[in-house]
Amino acid sequence: MTGHLAGHEESGDAGRPRGRRSTVLKIAGLTLAGLLVLAAGAAGLAYWHLDSNIKSVDIDQALGDDRPAKGVTTPSSSASASASPLPTGSLNILVLGSDSRSGKENKALGGGSSSGARSDTAMVVHIDAGRKKATIVSIPRDTLVTRPSCPLKSGGSTAVAYNAMFNSAYSVGGPVCAVKTVESITNVRMDHYIEIDFAGFAKLVNALGGVTVTTDEDIDDDDSHLHLKAGTHHLTGKQALALARTRHGIGDGSDLGRIGLQQKLVKALLEQMASTNLLTDPAKLYEVAQAVTSSLTTDTGLDSISELVGLGRSLESLSSDSVKTVTMPVVTAPSDPNRVVAKEPAASELWESLK
């Protein structure tokens, strides 16, 4: 597990993210790029149907006031008097990829049942004030953390858990506990929550006609059912999902290698979106919008098409060149060579830079 020692940060900057020409990670790319797609062509019954697809959780009500302070959100001074002003303040969004949805589709893709939910991918998407720059911080799911007591929908709360796997928060308490755990370890307020599931991701790739990805090494992973030779491949939705999930067939088998593949996959997926002229093909546009919305769970502040499109419009000046990607600095856990813990003070300095 030596690959855990440095994470994706190298010496010299105390864990702060470095600029590089990159696009966002898997889930952030799918949702934030997909939001702008939804703005065109959705009207009448189609608009209502897409709107009703989105599931939501009232994070604010569940967690109350015992949370990090909110950032300041200010309207854009350039907004016209007749238009609703767009917010320009900084924003933090917890984005999860999960196998939480039960059903035949997810089970066929390797998803969990209603009693075995997990968060396979976790990222904090930080958008700077002005909304022209962003930082995407990936949190390895193997990270050992102190999981705080979380409220349960059925009443009561979970017990505090020490040296718990980071992704266990979602398993025991769903989105609410995932948000509370991230806020506990980062001391950064999560303004929004977005979750996408296995089947929705695969459907989106299929709706776009697949995605072309070049791999640098052979991938031979029985767990994700993916077997690819190094080279260029045009992947179906099921294969693309397997690529995003694979870990045992590459590198040292850690979550860090998988994160690199996810970056490559999303760049290819966004290029596929750009090459598919959705705005001139209403049927294809609706198919893509249906795939995105039917796979989403959000907080109540983003649970409608209008709110999602408003977020997308506020990000129109954000280009991929202005997005930094970084993994939370980690080291091998002293208690378990197969787990990691936050590398201090680098991790705390990283989170502080996002406030």
Side-chain angles (χ1 to χ4, degrees):
M1 299 295 290
T2 55
H4 284 315
L5 293 174
H8 281 190
E9 294 291 331
E10 296 176 5
S11 61
D13 61 1
R16 292 185 182 273
R18 267 195 280 267
R20 55 192 231 196
R21 295 179 61 86
S22 175
T23 185
V24 293
L25 304 181
K26 180 180 70 173
I27 308 306
L30 295 178
T31 50
L32 296 183
L35 301 183
L36 295 178
V37 172
L38 301 179
L45 181 61
Y47 186 100
W48 176 87
H49 178 69
L50 295 175
D51 210 51
S52 64
N53 277 344
I54 304 167
K55 298 174 177 62
S56 66
V57 178
D58 194 339
I59 303 289
D60 289 340
Q61 182 180 36
L63 294 184
D65 297 327
D66 186 19
R67 306 174 64 187
K70 288 184 178 180
V72 177
T73 301
T74 57
S76 171
S77 59
S78 62
S80 67
S82 60
S84 298
L86 296 175
T88 59
S90 63
L91 202 61
N92 292 295
I93 306 172
L94 176 60
V95 184
L96 295 186
S98 79
D99 64 353
S100 63
R101 309 287 177 82
S102 59
K104 292 182 179 179
E105 288 179 307
N106 277 303
K107 289 179 180 178
L109 292 168
S113 66
S114 57
S115 61
R118 298 170 300 176
S119 55
D120 261 16
T121 304
M123 292 163 289
V124 173
V125 180
H126 172 78
I127 302 164
D128 288 2
R131 306 205 175 177
K132 295 181 179 181
K133 296 181 180 180
T135 302
I136 313 299
V137 183
S138 180
I139 304 175
R141 69 176 190 174
D142 294 340
T143 307
L144 297 181
V145 301
T146 297
R147 192 182 68 225
S149 174
C150 299
L152 297 173
K153 288 191 297 183
S154 58
S157 59
T158 65
V160 176
Y162 301 95
N163 291 318
M165 284 268 287
F166 169 75
N167 69 340
S168 70
Y170 185 94
S171 300
V172 302
V176 171
C177 197
V179 169
K180 186 167 185 180
T181 299
V182 169
E183 291 184 344
S184 176
I185 65 177
T186 66
N187 196 30
V188 175
R189 173 79 170 233
M190 295 297 110
D191 300 292
H192 290 298
Y193 172 85
I194 296 175
E195 175 189 328
I196 188 168
D197 75 344
F198 279 5
F201 175 76
K203 283 181 179 178
L204 177 58
V205 174
N206 287 334
L208 291 168
V211 61
T212 301
V213 177
T214 300
T215 59
D216 299 325
E217 60 182 296
D218 294 348
I219 298 174
D220 190 16
D221 189 350
D222 290 334
D223 289 341
S224 66
H225 309 292
L226 184 66
H227 303 278
L228 291 176
K229 294 292 185 182
T232 300
H233 306 273
H234 191 73
L235 306 179
T236 65
K238 186 173 183 178
Q239 291 172 318
L241 177 61
L243 182 67
R245 296 180 62 222
T246 191
R247 60 184 294 180
H248 299 297
I250 57 170
D252 63 357
S254 75
D255 213 27
L256 303 178
R258 173 166 58 180
I259 288 168
L261 283 177
Q262 290 171 355
Q263 293 178 2
K264 182 174 292 190
L265 173 61
V266 170
K267 182 175 181 179
L269 185 58
L270 294 180
E271 288 172 352
Q272 179 69 19
M273 278 185 168
S275 65
T276 304
N277 199 342
L278 297 172
L279 300 184
T280 61
D281 188 342
K284 179 66 68 174
L285 171 67
Y286 183 81
E287 185 182 1
V288 171
Q290 169 74 0
V292 172
T293 58
S294 64
S295 66
L296 281 185
T297 299
T298 71
D299 66 282
T300 50
L302 287 179
D303 61 355
S304 70
I305 295 297
S306 61
E307 288 165 332
L308 289 171
V309 170
L311 173 61
R313 288 182 58 223
S314 78
L315 302 177
E316 287 177 347
S317 297
L318 180 64
S319 68
S320 62
D321 291 346
S322 300
V323 175
K324 302 175 184 178
T325 60
V326 64
T327 299
M328 182 181 77
V330 294
V331 295
T332 301
S335 61
D336 187 340
N338 295 313
R339 301 289 180 259
V340 297
V341 294
K343 180 182 179 180
E344 297 294 357
S348 293
E349 291 173 349
L350 169 61
W351 297 124
E352 184 67 23
S353 73
L354 302 186
K355 291 183 179 180

